[in-house]
Amino acid sequence: MVQKIKNRKSIVLKKLFTILLLLGAAALFGLEPLVHEINLLKASGMEHGVGRTWYWRPMKKVPAGCSLEWSETGTGKSLKSLRINYTGASKGNIARWFQKAVLCGDSGNLKLSGNYRVNRGKKAGRIVLKFIISENDSKKHKERDLTALTLANYTIGKWQSFSKNIKIPAGTKSVFVVLEAFPGSDVYFDDIELFQRNIKTPTVNHKLK
């Protein structure tokens, strides 16, 4: 029994030594560890929506006949969803709600995924990513819009899933995820996630004396 305990301790110590050796080698040769992925959005499952609409804010004045609300209808794995009900018919006046996500550097790539359901409207809306890009480390910045998803080819009243991989433009500091609804539409969003993947974390290299 005593011998078995000693053997187990020896195996654990060997594994621990191997891990420390690998970490030391990575630091010595300046290798940068990778964080697999991180979700940049808050309350992606829309479960905390009641009374908490500040997670998604209007980009401009909300058009007449349009409202943002948390619905008791979810995709199945979640109980609630985000609903944009646009009963107005003002042509060209798009309703936009956004959430700002701060990136962990501009390395890696983005994966936007989620679910949506259209209850009304032939052209329901889009999801747009607005990249905020710094210019030469100055306070100035420029914006670049990318249509990540156009709500099309859907069945009225049925949940649709989507997933998009997006390259991060160099110099990007943050990104706005914008949910758009076109006039006359009734759209539900749920499980909206924006993962930054393969993030490089900075390391400090020390010279050996």
Side-chain angles (χ1 to χ4, degrees):
M1 185 68 180
V2 176
Q3 186 63 36
K4 286 184 178 180
I5 294 174
K6 288 183 178 179
N7 290 338
R8 287 177 183 174
K9 286 184 178 179
S10 177
I11 293 171
V12 171
L13 289 172
K14 284 181 180 179
K15 288 183 178 180
L16 181 60
F17 177 76
T18 303
I19 293 171
L20 291 173
L21 188 63
L22 291 173
L23 290 175
L28 181 63
F29 292 102
L31 298 178
E32 297 181 346
L34 293 177
V35 177
H36 181 56
E37 60 183 18
I38 183 172
N39 185 12
L40 303 174
L41 297 182
K42 297 178 181 178
S44 291
M46 311 301 180
E47 298 304 298
H48 306 288
V50 179
R52 301 183 180 185
T53 55
W54 60 75
Y55 285 130
W56 296 92
R57 295 181 291 171
M59 294 207 76
K60 295 181 180 179
K61 184 179 179 180
V62 179
C66 185
S67 64
L68 177 75
E69 59 191 66
W70 263 258
S71 169
E72 295 296 327
T73 303
T75 57
K77 70 176 184 179
S78 60
L79 300 176
K80 297 180 177 65
S81 60
L82 183 80
R83 180 189 184 191
I84 302 179
N85 188 15
Y86 197 168
T87 58
S90 178
K91 291 184 178 180
N93 200 6
I94 300 173
R96 295 181 175 92
W97 269 271
F98 77 95
Q99 185 176 149
K100 180 181 178 180
V102 179
L103 271 62
C104 300
D106 59 0
S107 64
N109 54 68
L110 298 175
K111 180 184 178 182
L112 177 69
S113 63
N115 302 285
Y116 70 91
R117 189 182 82 181
V118 179
N119 275 13
R120 183 183 65 244
K122 292 182 179 179
K123 292 183 179 180
R126 301 182 302 175
I127 298 180
V128 175
L129 298 184
K130 181 183 289 291
F131 294 98
I132 309 301
I133 304 171
S134 296
E135 294 184 343
N136 300 323
D137 297 326
S138 67
K139 293 182 179 180
K140 295 182 179 180
H141 71 272
K142 59 182 179 180
E143 299 178 356
R144 182 184 300 177
D145 288 357
L146 171 68
T147 300
L149 178 71
T150 300
L151 308 189
N153 301 322
Y154 48 78
T155 301
I156 294 292
K158 184 178 179 181
W159 284 102
Q160 311 282 334
S161 298
F162 67 90
S163 179
K164 299 284 184 178
N165 292 313
I166 300 151
K167 184 178 179 181
I168 301 174
T172 300
K173 300 299 181 183
S174 59
V175 59
F176 289 45
V177 179
V178 186
L179 307 179
E180 295 187 348
F182 298 157
S185 65
D186 184 9
V187 188
Y188 293 72
F189 294 97
D190 201 359
D191 305 313
I192 304 298
E193 298 176 333
L194 183 68
F195 279 93
Q196 185 173 358
R197 313 172 78 184
N198 300 324
I199 306 166
K200 292 183 178 180
T201 56
T203 59
V204 179
N205 296 323
H206 298 279
K207 293 182 179 180
L208 296 175
K209 296 182 179 179

